[in-house]
Amino acid sequence: MGLKFLSEEAALPVGSMKAFDIDGEAILLIHLEEGFFATQAKCPHLFMPLEKGKLVDGGKLRCKFHRAEFDVKTGKVCQWANFPPGIQALNLFRAEKDLRTYPTKVEDGRVYVEM
Ligand code: FES
């Protein structure tokens, strides 16, 4: 599939993120101090939109719904769903799962993702 255009660099300031639908795949583009990172846009816990979440601790993405946290750069789970209390009972069916990540590239002020 190759490189796909996502956004103008200037349209997404550091500390913000935005979801895109690229050929039927939901991709979340995140702008950290270190650059642009792309992950799957749906939380692997219960498939809620990660775009509604929050960037915390300079590089983690916390899902708004049950507070799972992921390392934006690697996609690794930092903390699995833990809110509201009792949600862990679902872990039997929804075990920890890392986020899929995609390489990004910035060229002439435009951000691309490698699919
Ligand atoms: S849907 Fe993201 S933590 Fe549950």
Side-chain angles (χ1 to χ4, degrees):
M1 300 232 299
L3 278 185
K4 300 281 180 179
F5 171 71
L6 283 186
S7 169
E8 298 292 337
E9 192 177 9
L12 203 66
V14 171
S16 61
M17 54 188 163
K18 187 170 180 194
F20 296 87
D21 188 321
I22 304 292
D23 300 336
E25 214 162 320
I27 306 281
L28 185 64
L29 181 64
I30 301 148
H31 195 178
L32 298 180
E33 295 277 359
E34 297 91 330
F36 287 90
F37 298 88
T39 70
Q40 67 185 78
K42 290 196 176 135
C43 181
H45 180 233
L46 293 178
F47 313 108
M48 302 303 267
L50 285 167
E51 186 182 28
K52 297 202 182 297
K54 207 171 173 183
L55 291 169
V56 295
D57 301 338
K60 289 183 196 165
L61 171 55
R62 179 186 297 150
C63 180
K64 174 183 173 176
F65 297 91
H66 314 106
R67 300 185 189 168
E69 284 182 14
F70 305 90
D71 183 314
V72 166
K73 294 171 209 161
T74 63
K76 295 267 176 230
V77 171
C78 304
Q79 171 177 278
W80 196 230
N82 60 79
F83 181 85
I87 192 85
Q88 292 89 341
L90 276 183
N91 290 358
L92 212 54
F93 311 100
R94 301 302 310 161
E96 283 192 23
K97 196 162 182 223
D98 296 338
L99 287 181
R100 208 175 318 124
T101 60
Y102 304 83
T104 61
K105 187 176 180 185
V106 181
E107 215 172 77
D108 298 330
R110 292 160 67 88
V111 188
Y112 298 85
V113 65
E114 179 86 47
M115 305 280 292

